[in-house]
Amino acid sequence: ESPEKNPYWCEACLAWFSPIPRCERCGLPTLYSVDLCGRCLREPPLWHRLYCIGDYQFPLNHYVHQLKYQKQFWQAKPLAALLAPRILTPAPQICSVPLHWQRQIQRGFNQSERLAYYLNQHFNSELLPSLFRRTEATPAQKGLNKQQRKQNLTHAFTLRSCKAIEHIALVDDVVTTGSTVRQLCQLLLEVGVESIDIYCICRTPAPTSL
């Protein structure tokens, strides 16, 4: 499916979502599209490839906010349709970032799980919706700096069970410092997963002041 045939967005909207140069490894903006940016050469992330639509800015942040905080779960399908064409080699297995059960009851659904479900309709990979469990109801990551985010998530997740997996994709709505997906990647690598991709709607650089 090409962006020109996307049934959910008009041409004017699609123009807002046009891809910009990024590092294929970390997903952060670069002057030119590169396999590895300077940051990744010095300190590569635990995942191997990150795919996104864009940064957390207008108008993309508006739709993500509606999905996540205004209970508009139906936004997951058109957002997944925007992201799917950019993933040329889908992982054979797909999982999602879990919510603590208390937060999921409050929100009514897990937005990352919804995105994974609709992405998988494009790929026909094996969906693993219950691969992780969030064991602690930690405070929201929004507003925390990188170190605080890392400390906030220490021991927050467990891996329920994992059969032999070589290549898997982890779906989240927004990746900023990468603290959440880094914790989950560590659990996957510890059980022998060889390659991990990140699929997210927004890949946003962390504020330099934090």
Side-chain angles (χ1 to χ4, degrees):
E1 179 184 358
S2 65
E4 291 76 12
K5 296 181 180 179
N6 192 305
Y8 306 103
W9 308 93
C10 68
E11 291 184 6
C13 288
L14 290 173
W16 280 100
F17 304 132
S18 296
I20 64 171
R22 293 180 180 274
C23 170
E24 293 185 359
R25 181 71 182 260
C26 69
L28 289 173
T30 53
L31 292 176
Y32 306 97
S33 295
V34 293
D35 295 335
L36 290 168
C37 65
R39 180 181 302 183
C40 288
L41 287 171
R42 295 190 303 270
E43 188 178 356
L46 296 181
W47 61 83
H48 300 86
R49 185 79 184 263
L50 186 144
Y51 300 87
C52 69
I53 299 173
D55 287 346
Y56 192 74
Q57 61 187 17
F58 181 84
L60 194 55
N61 61 342
H62 174 70
Y63 296 109
V64 172
H65 190 274
Q66 289 180 324
L67 167 66
K68 195 169 182 178
Y69 301 113
Q70 297 182 12
K71 300 185 184 298
Q72 295 187 17
F73 56 85
W74 55 87
Q75 298 285 1
K77 189 171 185 178
L79 288 171
L82 275 177
L83 178 58
R86 305 190 185 190
I87 303 169
L88 301 180
T89 308
Q93 281 92 20
I94 297 179
C95 62
S96 56
V97 172
L99 283 179
H100 190 269
W101 65 268
Q102 292 175 334
R103 186 165 294 170
Q104 183 150 342
I105 289 175
Q106 180 183 26
R107 188 168 294 170
F109 64 98
N110 178 346
Q111 73 280 355
S112 298
E113 193 174 86
R114 289 269 180 171
L115 290 167
Y117 172 79
Y118 287 115
L119 280 170
N120 196 51
Q121 291 188 345
H122 295 266
F123 306 143
N124 197 29
S125 300
E126 181 183 5
L127 191 61
L128 305 174
S130 301
L131 187 60
F132 297 103
R133 184 168 71 94
R134 191 155 191 158
T135 55
E136 296 185 16
T138 56
Q141 293 284 85
K142 189 174 182 179
L144 302 181
N145 64 31
K146 185 175 181 179
Q147 186 61 31
Q148 289 170 333
R149 286 171 179 245
K150 183 177 180 181
Q151 293 175 348
N152 189 41
L153 294 171
T154 302
H155 308 304
F157 304 101
T158 58
L159 188 63
R160 290 180 184 270
S161 62
C162 190
K163 61 182 182 180
I165 293 176
E166 294 183 1
H167 182 195
I168 191 169
L170 177 59
V171 179
D172 201 3
D173 56 341
V174 180
V175 174
T176 303
T177 65
S179 298
T180 301
V181 292
R182 189 178 296 112
Q183 293 284 337
L184 300 177
C185 287
Q186 186 64 54
L187 293 175
L188 291 170
L189 292 172
E190 287 174 358
V191 296
V193 175
E194 296 180 7
S195 181
I196 305 168
D197 294 339
I198 307 298
Y199 300 165
C200 62
I201 302 304
C202 300
R203 175 57 166 125
T204 302
T208 55
S209 61
L210 296 181

